[in-house]
Amino acid sequence: MHCRVLKGSTSREVLEVFYAEVGMRLHALIQKHIKRQIVSMEGGVQVIADLNAYYNFISSLKVAHLLPEFASLKMLGHVYVVADAKDLATIVRDVARYGGAFRPEDVYEFVQRRSDWKKIEKEVDRTMYNLSFKEDCVIC
């Protein structure tokens, strides 16, 4: 609504700078917000829907350099709906999946906010780091 009001009253260059700033701040705010929440599998579906809505809003602003950031954020929502811990570990390790927007450590932070994290943590870590405690650890 407010973005449409600005269109007729200011120059295109000022609008682009304003939209870019709005997009960058929104991206940071969304990340911060998600990292504060515990998300269930059912809630993951709602997170994906919300991230799709944010992506649609940013695409309506027509600021090209923000689209890959929000596309990566949109894909990040899928970590909350993956049921298998091994598949989840593969998703976390896949650097190319997010186009360089997120490092595996960043994705791991989001995965830790799953409601079932305590149940799947060992399996995710074992798969991510190729750990086999029986073979890799020797206690003297």
Side-chain angles (χ1 to χ4, degrees):
M1 172 75 176
H2 298 296
C3 293
R4 286 190 215 122
V5 172
L6 287 174
K7 267 188 180 176
S9 62
T10 188
S11 70
R12 181 177 176 180
E13 294 81 19
V14 172
L15 276 176
E16 286 179 13
V17 171
F18 176 74
Y19 291 162
E21 187 65 28
V22 166
M24 288 186 296
R25 289 184 185 206
L26 181 62
H27 188 267
L29 188 67
I30 292 168
Q31 285 186 57
K32 187 176 177 181
H33 179 70
I34 292 173
K35 286 181 182 179
R36 288 184 187 165
Q37 307 303 314
I38 302 294
V39 182
S40 67
M41 292 284 276
E42 296 81 22
V45 175
Q46 185 61 48
V47 168
I48 291 171
D50 292 346
L51 292 175
N52 284 332
Y54 292 131
Y55 179 83
N56 291 338
F57 168 70
I58 291 299
S59 65
S60 74
L61 299 180
K62 296 183 173 91
V63 180
H65 71 276
L66 289 175
L67 289 178
E69 297 289 327
F70 277 85
S72 298
L73 194 59
K74 212 167 79 160
M75 290 185 63
L76 184 68
H78 292 99
V79 300
Y80 299 111
V81 295
V82 174
D84 185 47
K86 290 181 181 182
D87 291 341
L88 189 59
T90 305
I91 289 171
V92 172
R93 279 190 308 189
D94 188 7
V95 179
R97 180 181 186 93
Y98 303 102
F102 296 107
R103 299 171 305 173
E105 299 84 27
D106 299 330
V107 179
Y108 191 81
E109 280 185 61
F110 287 99
V111 170
Q112 288 177 316
R113 305 310 296 166
R114 288 175 54 122
S115 61
D116 62 347
W117 176 243
K118 292 297 177 193
K119 292 182 213 169
I120 64 171
E121 179 179 12
K122 288 180 184 176
E123 184 65 31
V124 170
D125 287 344
R126 210 176 283 137
T127 305
M128 270 185 66
Y129 303 115
N130 294 321
L131 297 176
S132 174
F133 293 110
K134 293 177 186 174
E135 300 165 5
D136 294 342
C137 296
V138 178
I139 300 175
C140 299

